[in-house]
Amino acid sequence: MGEHSREHLSRKDSIWIQTGREGQELDAGSATGKSLGVFTSGGDSQGMNSAVRAVVRMGSFLGCKVYYIKEGYQGMVDGGDHIIEASWASSSGIMQKGGTVIGSARCADFRQREGRLKAAKNLIDKNITNLVVIGGDGSLTGANLFRQEWNSLLDELKATDRITDEQRKSCSSINIVGMVGSIDNDFCGTDMTIGTDSALHRIIESVDSISTTASSHQRAFVLEVMGRHCGYLALVAALATEADWVLIPECPPDKGWEKTLCKKLSAEREMGLRLNIVIIAEGAIDIEGNPITANMVKDLITNELKYDTRVTVLGHVQRGGKPTAFDRILGARMGAEAVLALMDAKPDTPACVVSLDGNQTVRVPLMECVERTKSVQEAMNKKNFQEAVRLRGKSFQNNLATYLRLSKLRPPKVMCDPTGQVCSSGKKLAVMNIGAPACGANAAVRSFVRFALTKGYTVLGIHDSFDGLLYGDVKPIGWTDVHGWTCQGGSLLGTKKCTAARYGLDKVAEKLKEHDISGLLIIGGFEAYHSALQMTEARSKYDAFCIPMVVIPCTISNNVPGTDFSLGADTALNEIADICDRIKQSATGTKRRVFIVEVMGGYCGYLATMAGLAGGADAAYIYEDPFNITNLRDDVIHLKNKIIQLGVQRGLILRNENANANYTTDFIHQMFSEEGKGSFTCRKNVLGHMQQGGVPSPFDRNYGTKMASKAVDYMITKVEENTTEDGKIKSCTKDSAVLLGMCRRQLLFTPLEELREITDFEKRLPKQQWWLSLVRPLLRIMTKHSNETYRADAILTNVDLEDDDNA
């Protein structure tokens, strides 16, 4: 693709992935003279506006003329006022809005050659030879056909004297780059499409709200969600809400599913639960390919179980509302990369789609992805559902596998006491939280408890961290004890910011031995990692530490080594983005105001940087990216220019709480207030512990569930491998004390001893952080700091999508 040449891959089930230029050095104005157009087509999705904004601002940074093409392909065909030049200011204040501010429409005219002739003429009149299309596979396929026909369209326009020879020559080729905007996440070749995360938030909010009324009246609810051809939304929503049953097109239920469903719902009620939730995708089918509707399921439950059952069809509410922090960031990163891909393209460069691979933006061949997406439906039409699931990719497969495991879990009746607690297996696994509370911890505890119980282990809950261990607050956790934990924030086990050494390793070892603990799961932040490392290093002194130990990183700061993402960080980002939206909204009608907002994170600038990108901040000050008084002065000048010359009325500055000991939040507020006199007023906000609260996001619920599932399997394997003849556990190898983290697209267990070397214990930071080189430069470009370079290490790779264990 352009300068980044690639070989062709012949293997059928693989798609070549080309790492994008995100973070590479760029020169401002390097594409002066080029023009590009951006439009949204097909169904709208949250996050499209962020992508449009990024296209405009990256294009402007490079010196391009950027045009909005309003109302999708229809606007391209109609021309005139539907194709207007975009400016930096015109893209301000749109990224937090849902839908698409430039409009989207179905276009029958573009399906005809005459319509495409009109579209080509309108683009040539504006000298637009580069297009960014944001839409689904239909919109992308239409753009590719347009590109293929381009030369013949120009020939016809020239033959009928609708364009000149000079226009024919200057616009001899057109390049296309796509971004997938679809709430269904049904496009093969990307981990997540723009809008999916926001749609999941709408679904989760609805299910959480319905659950309270359902429990009050002991009702069953059947919720229909979107997904005519793809069950991703239904599947992930079921995982995130502890739904009793899910029906999706890719994995239809076996014959006799009606009886199985009723049996399961009845069993839930017998265990004392007061509600049942069934989630169904609108395209759900049975094994014969016959539709299964929400009303069919309702009638089944009502007639067979006599439960009061209601149906809720969520419909277009799933497309509505403002985008989540993830979709804003995704749109921004994809939009910037789309412009870079166009600037790299040559006349013979195939159309590509910018997508997400782990934490990296990549470019994938458009038509290969479209064909693979179509092959999913073809497999379902042939009733080859196993192939359809495989074609959806590893992310879908892993979500489905986790759900199927959870849905089949039952405590073995012969090993249960009346409370539902599995008894007398002889081995005990313990779980505890260490560090500040973060959303997702409870989902991980629930998953760990239920998986361990079904394996015949007793699970001990250690309450309030080491306080509970040392002072006797250690209790068995039963099956129903953790019901409903997935949707709750904070730490229901109780937690405390402390390390094992602070309490005395000898005392901790004594208590672990007293409770005869065979394996320990620690869920928490840097203190959790540090405590586990301290206990690992003391194994030669204390046999009680010679047991399998697994750490699941759970902290809003995202400052634990060995993982790209920590549990809780996604929820915190959404909380910060929401608060910043409200702060900016508070100034509606108040002219020229700049807000200085302090966020948490310790010495880690992840929250400040990502929230800055999601909230459209003008700057984000962090410890890892040193700044001085000159930088602060430059930002004041930037804000003055933005407000006075461009007419943008508000500014936003984020500061990490430990960004600089001298340039405090108060100092920056006072400086900006003084230097901004006559141009803007300034207000300060310290967000504090609001960032740790809230309801867990779908990502954190799902992530915690899958992490704990993987941790149980790993821990039990190590327990069984290291059980001596007398039944004792003796596990001293370095791979028996690990941290489970997500690295790019894989969930990996990394020995704690190896992580020691890449940790800054003084500042409680990993020595390398992926987002610093990829996201920081983009943040500056999006806010028109034109003196910034855009740099990082980028590698051209090809990846077999089936080889990655996508979390």
Side-chain angles (χ1 to χ4, degrees):
M1 298 179 182
E3 296 174 2
H4 304 275
S5 61
R6 66 181 181 91
E7 301 174 7
H8 290 281
L9 186 66
S10 59
R11 292 172 62 184
K12 178 182 176 182
D13 295 324
S14 299
I15 297 176
W16 273 86
I17 294 178
Q18 180 187 12
T19 302
R21 292 180 62 194
E22 184 178 45
Q24 288 187 13
E25 185 173 347
L26 298 175
D27 294 322
S30 59
T32 300
K34 293 187 177 183
S35 297
L36 64 90
V38 57
F39 66 100
T40 53
S41 177
D44 65 298
S45 62
Q46 308 95 320
M48 282 183 166
N49 291 324
S50 180
V52 170
R53 172 181 178 269
V55 169
V56 171
R57 296 195 172 183
M58 179 57 81
S60 299
F61 174 81
L62 296 175
C64 299
K65 248 185 188 178
V66 184
Y67 291 87
Y68 296 128
I69 302 174
K70 297 187 173 182
E71 312 304 336
Y73 284 112
Q74 191 64 56
M76 196 185 300
V77 172
D78 294 342
D81 292 341
H82 288 91
I83 305 177
I84 61 171
E85 187 172 351
S87 66
W88 190 91
S90 70
S91 63
S92 180
I94 67 172
M95 72 182 307
Q96 70 269 24
K97 295 181 179 180
T100 165
V101 297
I102 59 175
S104 179
R106 310 287 179 184
C107 181
D109 293 340
F110 194 80
R111 298 177 185 272
Q112 308 301 320
R113 183 172 175 83
E114 182 57 34
R116 295 193 290 275
L117 275 170
K118 291 179 182 178
K121 172 67 167 61
N122 290 328
L123 294 182
I124 291 169
D125 287 345
K126 301 287 188 181
N127 198 37
I128 298 173
T129 56
N130 299 281
L131 283 178
V132 176
V133 52
I134 309 170
D137 59 346
S139 302
L140 299 176
T141 301
N144 191 64
L145 173 63
F146 191 46
R147 175 185 167 277
Q148 291 173 340
E149 288 186 343
W150 184 256
N151 280 320
S152 67
L153 293 172
L154 264 59
D155 289 340
E156 190 170 337
L157 290 171
K158 177 63 181 65
T160 55
D161 294 326
R162 286 191 269 179
I163 61 173
T164 65
D165 286 334
E166 184 179 346
Q167 286 178 312
R168 174 67 179 84
K169 184 176 180 181
S170 63
C171 299
S172 59
S173 63
I174 189 168
N175 289 303
I176 305 287
V177 172
M179 285 180 276
V180 187
S182 168
I183 68 169
D184 292 336
N185 202 32
D186 57 351
F187 192 80
C188 296
T190 184
D191 288 352
M192 285 285 276
T193 56
I194 297 171
T196 301
D197 188 65
S198 299
L200 281 171
H201 273 254
R202 301 296 94 79
I203 296 170
I204 300 313
E205 290 163 4
S206 300
V207 177
D208 286 350
S209 298
I210 284 171
S211 294
T212 57
T213 183
S215 180
S216 298
H217 297 278
Q218 298 191 62
R219 284 176 177 153
F221 268 84
V222 182
L223 285 91
E224 182 186 292
V225 302
M226 287 186 170
R228 190 172 303 161
H229 304 293
C230 179
Y232 183 88
L233 288 178
L235 177 59
V236 176
L239 274 173
T241 59
E242 301 184 19
D244 298 293
W245 197 274
V246 67
L247 293 159
I248 60 175
E250 294 91 342
C251 186
D254 296 329
K255 289 182 179 179
W257 64 272
E258 297 92 342
K259 184 177 179 180
T260 306
L261 170 60
C262 290
K263 185 178 179 181
K264 179 171 184 182
L265 298 187
S266 178
E268 296 285 337
R269 292 295 178 99
E270 289 173 2
M271 294 173 65
L273 304 184
R274 295 176 57 87
L275 76 157
N276 299 110
I277 299 292
V278 176
I279 297 180
I280 179 171
E282 61 180 328
I285 55 176
D286 64 20
I287 199 70
E288 298 299 328
N290 302 311
I292 300 176
T293 67
N295 283 322
M296 288 171 57
V297 177
K298 178 215 170 193
D299 292 341
L300 171 67
I301 298 171
T302 301
N303 295 332
E304 295 298 323
L305 298 176
K306 310 303 180 185
Y307 295 166
D308 184 4
T309 307
R310 305 296 170 90
V311 170
T312 298
V313 179
L314 295 186
H316 284 77
V317 70
Q318 296 159 87
R319 291 190 188 277
K322 61 186 178 183
T324 60
F326 178 88
D327 276 328
R328 299 184 199 191
I329 294 168
L330 179 64
R333 295 176 68 191
M334 284 187 172
E337 184 59 35
V339 175
L340 298 179
L342 284 173
M343 297 305 102
D344 288 340
K346 295 181 179 179
D348 60 346
T349 301
C352 74
V353 173
V354 175
S355 63
L356 188 68
D357 176 43
N359 57 25
Q360 176 74 56
T361 55
V362 296
R363 307 170 189 177
V364 293
L366 187 152
M367 289 314 296
E368 286 184 37
C369 294
V370 169
E371 290 305 316
R372 181 163 175 172
T373 302
K374 290 179 178 178
S375 66
V376 177
Q377 187 60 47
E378 292 171 0
M380 288 193 287
N381 292 340
K382 295 175 182 178
K383 301 179 183 177
N384 189 351
F385 299 108
Q386 187 174 359
E387 175 68 2
V389 170
R390 188 190 66 80
L391 289 170
R392 283 285 183 221
K394 282 290 183 181
S395 177
F396 190 93
Q397 293 174 49
N398 290 339
N399 281 317
L400 180 58
T402 302
Y403 171 77
L404 291 175
R405 284 191 67 190
L406 279 170
S407 67
K408 293 176 181 177
L409 290 184
R410 290 291 180 276
K413 292 183 179 179
V414 296
M415 300 178 64
C416 294
D417 63 24
T419 68
Q421 172 66 42
V422 178
C423 35
S424 70
S425 70
K427 291 189 174 64
K428 302 172 186 175
L429 304 181
V431 56
M432 67 189 301
N433 293 342
I434 301 177
C439 288
N442 296 323
V445 172
R446 171 186 177 268
S447 178
F448 179 81
V449 168
R450 292 200 168 178
F451 279 119
L453 289 178
T454 55
K455 297 286 187 178
Y457 285 75
T458 296
V459 181
L460 300 178
I462 301 174
H463 295 259
D464 300 322
S465 301
F466 290 109
D467 278 1
L469 179 64
L470 268 59
Y471 303 118
D473 198 0
V474 180
K475 303 171 184 176
I477 306 179
W479 184 269
T480 57
D481 292 338
V482 292
H483 175 74
W485 280 34
T486 299
C487 62
Q488 297 193 50
S491 168
L492 295 176
L493 270 182
T495 188
K496 190 172 182 180
K497 293 185 71 172
C498 57
T499 60
R502 179 180 170 185
Y503 286 85
L505 291 173
D506 55 338
K507 296 179 182 178
V508 173
E510 179 184 346
K511 291 298 180 179
L512 288 176
K513 187 174 182 179
E514 177 183 318
H515 290 288
D516 193 24
I517 293 172
S518 300
L520 178 62
L521 175 68
I522 304 177
I523 303 170
F526 197 90
E527 294 89 353
Y529 153 67
H530 198 182
S531 294
L533 180 60
Q534 290 170 345
M535 290 187 283
T536 302
E537 292 173 336
R539 279 176 163 177
S540 59
K541 290 185 177 180
Y542 307 105
D543 287 343
F545 295 147
C546 296
I547 58 173
M549 289 185 282
V550 178
V551 178
I552 291 181
C554 181
T555 168
I556 69 169
S557 301
N558 199 35
N559 64 332
V560 180
T563 187
D564 293 340
F565 302 101
S566 295
L567 268 177
D570 182 68
T571 303
L573 275 176
N574 280 290
E575 290 297 318
I576 296 170
D578 286 344
I579 294 168
C580 287
D581 287 347
R582 290 196 290 272
I583 288 173
K584 289 190 292 185
Q585 188 182 45
S586 72
T588 300
T590 304
K591 301 297 184 182
R592 301 179 179 178
R593 178 157 289 174
V594 173
F595 296 95
I596 313 296
V597 177
E598 179 182 297
V599 301
M600 286 181 166
Y603 285 94
C604 180
Y606 177 84
L607 280 182
T609 298
M610 291 300 191
L613 190 57
D618 296 280
Y621 302 132
I622 64 172
Y623 169 78
E624 297 95 332
D625 190 2
F627 58 98
N628 54 36
I629 194 69
T630 302
N631 302 129
L632 297 177
R633 181 205 63 188
D634 290 344
D635 285 340
V636 171
I637 294 171
H638 157 70
L639 285 166
K640 284 184 176 180
N641 292 337
K642 166 184 170 179
I643 290 171
I644 300 300
Q645 297 179 15
L646 299 178
V648 179
Q649 298 300 307
R650 292 182 296 279
L652 177 66
I653 302 291
L654 296 185
R655 178 188 177 274
N656 168 255
E657 59 184 343
N658 289 335
N660 188 291
N662 296 310
Y663 301 133
T664 63
T665 303
D666 285 333
F667 176 89
I668 294 172
H669 171 241
Q670 292 166 5
M671 175 187 170
F672 277 52
S673 296
E674 180 65 26
E675 298 300 319
K677 280 183 178 178
S679 299
F680 57 80
T681 57
C682 201
R683 296 289 184 273
K684 178 187 71 172
N685 292 271
V686 178
L687 301 190
H689 287 80
M690 286 188 292
Q691 299 159 84
Q692 293 178 341
V695 175
S697 68
F699 176 84
D700 281 331
R701 299 184 191 195
N702 195 7
Y703 190 27
T705 298
K706 287 191 287 188
M707 294 268 276
S709 168
K710 208 169 182 72
V712 168
D713 290 342
Y714 187 89
M715 186 178 294
I716 289 177
T717 298
K718 293 300 176 185
V719 168
E720 293 175 350
E721 287 176 354
N722 295 280
T723 301
T724 60
E725 292 183 359
D726 59 358
K728 301 295 183 182
I729 308 298
K730 186 71 172 179
S731 182
C732 297
T733 58
K734 70 176 185 178
D735 66 348
S736 64
V738 297
L739 181 139
L740 174 57
M742 183 189 290
C743 300
R744 286 186 63 86
R745 303 177 77 232
Q746 301 182 55
L747 286 177
L748 299 177
F749 292 94
T750 307
L752 297 173
E753 294 178 4
E754 294 180 7
L755 294 177
R756 184 200 302 115
E757 304 304 319
I758 60 171
T759 304
D760 178 349
F761 286 97
E762 180 185 354
K763 301 301 182 185
R764 297 154 53 89
L765 284 172
K767 291 181 179 178
Q768 291 187 338
Q769 301 180 86
W770 65 270
W771 51 269
L772 273 173
S773 58
L774 294 182
V775 181
R776 287 291 296 178
L778 177 60
L779 173 63
R780 303 291 284 184
I781 289 174
M782 290 296 103
T783 54
K784 206 177 183 180
H785 292 264
S786 59
N787 60 325
E788 294 297 317
T789 56
Y790 187 67
R791 64 190 184 277
D793 295 329
I795 305 169
L796 180 64
T797 60
N798 60 71
V799 178
D800 182 344
L801 291 184
E802 302 310 312
D803 289 343
D804 283 338
D805 182 16
N806 188 326

